[in-house]
């Protein structure tokens, strides 16, 4: 049992890492907040100064702002639905005895290790290209007109790409939870005459609920910052059809050089992420307390 002395020693040994992590997080945040109240353009540094809440007002009045918020939420919710449902189905499939099970598992999780820009370029030029892509060839084979995914359905295309990248993560976490299910419980349910669907609804799914909430929490945090896939595929277009909040901040900072407005957008993004994380943490906490 830990004594007061060992607890104090543990806190003392952890303090440098905690302080370093705190500084690593707080310094960029403070600088971002400071710039959000300033008018600053690196191409014309002489025209700077305190402007109060003007940057927030200008960022909010941007015609792309509300569309970017909507696109961000649509992207997060859609990818979560696809990855959680698809992850459960894949975990159930991979958990079954089969020949080459180890190879199948490696192939299933391999997309998670592909860098987002590389994955987006592969999907854009090899799979979803309206003339030379795999989807176009399949459409022509069945006598249908190929779809210009990034021109006609840009958000759908981005959702598919991002979901493909995050599906292996969800599958891996859910498969781990599935394999921790006690075999005796399965046998008891089978002996009681429960079918596959009944066992899944009343035994497997409740057992996986904690893993599902963890997947939702972790993915939500990362999905709120999706950027590379949009940059290399649609560049936020057509118009603002695929512009999300991080991409709008990028446009203000590195294309228009409006650092103040970009910083204001960054602060808004942080607030949005914390609101979502707060509700997600409450959901996770309720499941973990069960």
């Amino acid at each position: 049992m830990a004594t007061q002395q060992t607890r104090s020693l543990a806190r003392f040994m952890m303090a440098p890492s905690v302080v370093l992590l705190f500084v690593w997080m707080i310094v960029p945040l403070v600088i971002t907040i400071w710039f959000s109240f300033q008018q600053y353009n690196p191409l014309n540094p002489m025209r700077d100064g305190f402007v109060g809440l003007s940057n927030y007002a200008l960022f909010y009045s941007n015609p792309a702002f509300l569309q970017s918020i909507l696109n961000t939420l649509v992207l997060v919710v859609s990818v979560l639905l696809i990855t959680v449902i698809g992850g459960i189905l894949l975990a159930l499939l991979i958990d079954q005895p089969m020949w080459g099970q180890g190879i199948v598992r490696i192939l299933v999780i391999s997309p998670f290790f592909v860098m987002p820009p590389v994955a987006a370029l592969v999907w854009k030029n090899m799979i979803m290209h309206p003339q030379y892509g795999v989807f176009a060839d399949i459409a022509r084979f069945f006598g249908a007109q190929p779809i210009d995914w990034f021109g006609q359905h840009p958000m759908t295309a981005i959702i598919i790409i991002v979901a493909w990248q995050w599906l292996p993560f969800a599958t891996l976490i859910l498969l781990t939870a599935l394999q921790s299910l006690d075999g005796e419980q399965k046998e008891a349910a089978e002996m009681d005459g429960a079918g596959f669907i009944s066992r899944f609804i009343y035994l497997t799914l409740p057992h996986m609920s904690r893993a599902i909430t963890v997947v939702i929490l972790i993915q939500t945090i990362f999905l709120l910052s999706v950027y590379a896939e949009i940059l290399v595929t649609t560049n936020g277009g057509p118009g603002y059809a695929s512009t999300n909040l991080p991409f709008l901040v990028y446009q203000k900072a590195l294309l228009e050089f409006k650092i103040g407005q970009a910083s204001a957008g960054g602060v808004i993004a942080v607030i949005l992420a914390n609101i979502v994380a707060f509700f997600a943490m409450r959901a996770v906490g309720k499941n973990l307390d069960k």
Side-chain angles (χ1 to χ4, degrees):
M1 188 173 181
T3 63
Q4 183 62 36
Q5 184 178 4
T6 57
R7 292 196 191 98
S8 300
L9 180 61
R11 295 191 187 100
F12 177 76
M13 296 178 67
M14 292 175 60
S17 299
V18 174
V19 171
L20 181 62
L21 181 61
F22 179 77
V23 172
W24 184 272
M25 294 172 58
I26 202 66
V27 169
L29 180 60
V30 171
I31 293 175
T32 301
I33 294 174
W34 185 82
F35 269 114
S36 70
F37 296 107
Q38 304 290 321
Q39 178 180 341
Y40 177 72
N41 188 325
L43 300 181
N44 190 4
M46 299 302 295
R47 294 183 59 187
D48 57 0
F50 182 79
V51 293
L53 297 174
S54 297
N55 287 322
Y56 291 90
L58 289 171
F59 193 83
Y60 177 77
S61 62
N62 190 305
F65 174 72
L66 294 179
Q67 183 66 43
S68 69
I69 295 290
L70 178 61
N71 289 341
T72 301
L73 296 177
V74 168
L75 177 65
V76 171
V77 173
S78 300
V79 173
L80 284 177
L81 286 174
I82 294 172
T83 54
V84 170
I85 296 174
I88 292 173
L89 296 177
L90 278 176
L92 291 171
L93 178 63
I94 297 174
D95 191 48
Q96 303 302 315
M98 67 177 72
W99 182 85
Q101 191 177 53
I103 298 175
V104 172
R105 291 179 180 179
I106 293 174
L107 291 176
V108 168
I109 66 173
S110 59
F112 188 66
F113 301 102
V114 181
M115 295 297 292
V118 177
L121 285 173
V122 170
W123 276 88
K124 178 182 180 181
N125 298 316
M126 298 180 63
I127 301 177
M128 290 183 169
H129 194 281
Q131 293 183 351
Y132 313 111
V134 175
F135 287 173
D137 291 338
I138 294 175
R140 282 191 290 266
F141 178 80
F142 289 102
Q145 182 69 24
I147 299 174
D148 183 3
W149 288 93
F150 299 105
Q152 300 173 352
H153 310 286
M155 276 305 297
T156 302
I158 292 171
I159 288 170
I160 292 173
I161 295 171
V162 177
W164 177 81
Q165 291 178 271
W166 281 97
L167 182 59
F169 171 80
T171 302
L172 185 63
I173 299 297
L174 297 174
L175 177 62
T176 303
L178 183 62
Q179 291 180 333
S180 66
L181 180 60
D182 190 0
E184 294 182 358
Q185 292 181 329
K186 296 180 183 178
E187 293 177 2
E190 291 177 1
M191 291 178 64
D192 289 340
F196 175 79
I197 296 178
S198 298
R199 295 199 306 271
F200 174 76
I201 295 175
Y202 298 107
L203 180 63
T204 305
L205 199 57
H207 180 78
M208 298 174 69
S209 60
R210 293 187 178 186
I212 292 173
T213 53
V214 171
V215 167
I216 292 174
L217 174 62
I218 295 176
Q219 287 194 176
T220 299
I221 294 172
F222 283 95
L223 291 174
L224 286 169
S225 60
V226 168
Y227 156 76
E229 295 85 346
I230 298 175
L231 177 66
V232 301
T233 54
T234 65
N235 205 30
Y240 305 124
S242 59
T243 298
N244 66 346
L245 194 55
F247 191 80
L248 184 59
V249 172
Y250 153 77
Q251 286 181 322
K252 290 295 179 183
L254 298 181
L255 297 183
E256 301 177 18
F257 299 104
K258 296 177 180 178
I259 306 302
Q261 291 187 39
S263 299
V267 173
I268 293 173
V270 170
I271 294 173
L272 177 64
N274 277 275
I275 291 173
V276 174
F278 172 77
F279 288 105
M281 283 296 294
R282 287 177 63 88
V284 171
K286 289 180 180 179
N287 269 315
L288 293 180
D289 290 338
K290 290 180 180 179

